[in-house]
């Protein structure tokens, strides 16, 4: 269930509980404990009943079991923490080149996170990102930021920075490919729809010879 929906559902259930308590206490003169328990019971049943229905509908729509959804949410939560570490790394660098590179990696990582968070069933197409590429990006970015922040650097450190920068560039391309892979079905669907639309437009194109044939008939 989406957090926003959960929030408003909770607000609705709370308002229902209060309203029912007022009606039972004042309207029917029911004793305090009985009206309070009844109001909370009805509010709780409303909240959890709608939540259960919404969750089942969401899982059915996405063709996921509850166990799969819990597993995906666990990995998304872990990915969110890693992306926060990545953002912290790029904010700590001082050179414009390093900042731009780490910013791009952060943007790509957040883009993948947003896609899977919105459509969890795509998670299994993105496992390479979550279980390999994101870990590598975070670890290398933190090391890169740490080395780049040192006031004094020797030749060995410069070589390490250069190698790390090159590897991060490769990882950036890999994440782009991960995103493309996750969205590949949408791209294929769009291409098919465009082909159908173009074919339909060609059939509807005006042909002067058609008028001439009709006239002869």
């Amino acid at each position: 269930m989406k957090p926003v929906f959960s929030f408003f559902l909770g607000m609705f259930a709370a308002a229902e509980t209060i309203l029912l308590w007022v009606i039972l206490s004042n309207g029917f003169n029911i004793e305090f404990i009985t009206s309070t328990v009844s109001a909370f019971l009805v509010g709780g049943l409303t909240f959890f009943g709608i939540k259960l229905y919404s969750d089942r509908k969401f899982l059915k729509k996405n063709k996921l079991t509850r166990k799969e959804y819990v597993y995906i949410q666990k990995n998304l939560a872990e990915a969110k923490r890693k992306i926060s570490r990545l953002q912290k790394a790029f904010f700590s660098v001082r050179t414009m080149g390093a900042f731009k590179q780490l910013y791009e990696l952060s943007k790509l990582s957040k883009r993948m996170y947003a896609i899977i968070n919105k459509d969890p069933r795509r998670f299994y197409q993105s496992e390479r990102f979550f279980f390999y590429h994101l870990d590598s990006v975070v670890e290398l970015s933190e090391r890169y930021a740490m080395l780049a922040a040192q006031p004094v650097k020797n030749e060995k450190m410069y070589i390490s920075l250069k190698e790390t920068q090159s590897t991060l560039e490769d990882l950036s391309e890999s994440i782009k490919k991960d995103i493309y892979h996750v969205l590949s079905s949408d791209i294929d669907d769009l291409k098919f729809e465009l082909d159908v639309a173009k074919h339909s437009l060609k059939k509807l194109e005006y042909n002067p010879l058609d008028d001439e044939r009709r006239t002869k008939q």
Side-chain angles (χ1 to χ4, degrees), residues 197-211:
K198 288 176 183 178
H199 180 70
S200 299
L201 286 171
K202 284 182 180 179
K203 290 177 69 175
L204 293 172
E205 283 180 357
Y206 175 71
N207 188 346
L209 292 175
D210 292 339
D211 289 342

Side-chain angles (χ1 to χ4, degrees), residues 144-206:
Y144 183 70
M146 184 270 293
L147 290 175
Q150 300 305 312
V152 179
K153 301 179 181 67
N154 56 28
E155 184 179 354
K156 187 176 180 180
M157 288 178 67
Y158 278 116
I159 292 173
S160 182
L161 282 168
K162 196 70 177 175
E163 289 176 348
T164 304
Q165 188 177 21
S166 177
T167 304
L168 287 172
E169 288 175 0
D170 292 338
L171 282 168
S172 180
E173 292 302 314
S174 296
I175 294 176
K176 289 177 183 177
K177 290 178 182 177
D178 291 340
I179 294 173
Y180 179 84
H181 177 67
V182 169
L183 298 176
S184 59
S185 59
D186 291 334
I187 295 170
D188 291 340
D189 290 342
L190 178 61
K191 187 177 183 303
F192 174 76
E193 289 174 7
L194 286 171
D195 289 340
V196 171
K198 288 176 183 178
H199 180 70
S200 299
L201 286 171
K202 284 182 180 179
K203 290 177 69 175
L204 293 172
E205 283 180 357
Y206 175 71

Side-chain angles (χ1 to χ4, degrees), residues 9 23 27 52 59 71 75 108 118 129 135 142 144 155 182:
L9 177 58
I23 293 172
L52 181 62
L59 292 173
Y71 171 73
N75 282 284
L108 289 170
K118 184 178 180 180
F129 167 78
D135 286 337
E142 289 178 335
Y144 183 70
E155 184 179 354
V182 169

Side-chain angles (χ1 to χ4, degrees), residues 28-76:
F28 293 93
N29 294 318
I30 298 175
E31 62 182 31
F32 177 80
I33 294 177
T34 303
S35 60
T36 300
V37 172
S38 300
F40 273 102
L41 183 61
V42 172
L45 286 173
T46 298
F47 178 83
F48 289 107
I50 295 176
K51 184 178 183 301
L52 181 62
Y53 172 78
S54 177
D55 286 348
R56 289 183 63 180
K57 187 177 179 181
F58 177 82
L59 292 173
K60 185 177 180 180
K61 177 184 176 183
N62 287 277
K63 298 178 181 178
L64 293 169
T65 64
R66 186 170 295 278
K67 185 177 179 180
E68 287 175 324
Y69 183 67
V70 170
Y71 171 73
I72 292 169
Q73 288 302 306
K74 180 182 176 182
N75 282 284
L76 282 173

Side-chain angles (χ1 to χ4, degrees), residues 64-113:
L64 293 169
T65 64
R66 186 170 295 278
K67 185 177 179 180
E68 287 175 324
Y69 183 67
V70 170
Y71 171 73
I72 292 169
Q73 288 302 306
K74 180 182 176 182
N75 282 284
L76 282 173
E78 181 64 26
K80 191 173 184 178
R81 288 191 288 270
K82 292 174 184 176
I83 293 172
S84 295
R85 287 169 55 191
L86 178 57
Q87 288 180 298
K88 185 177 178 181
F90 87 73
F91 276 124
S92 67
V93 297
R94 296 291 179 266
T95 63
M96 183 57 68
F99 182 87
K100 286 176 65 177
Q101 186 177 35
L102 296 188
Y103 173 77
E104 176 68 13
L105 283 164
S106 177
K107 186 172 71 171
L108 289 170
S109 299
K110 286 193 288 186
R111 174 60 179 153
M112 177 65 91
Y113 175 88

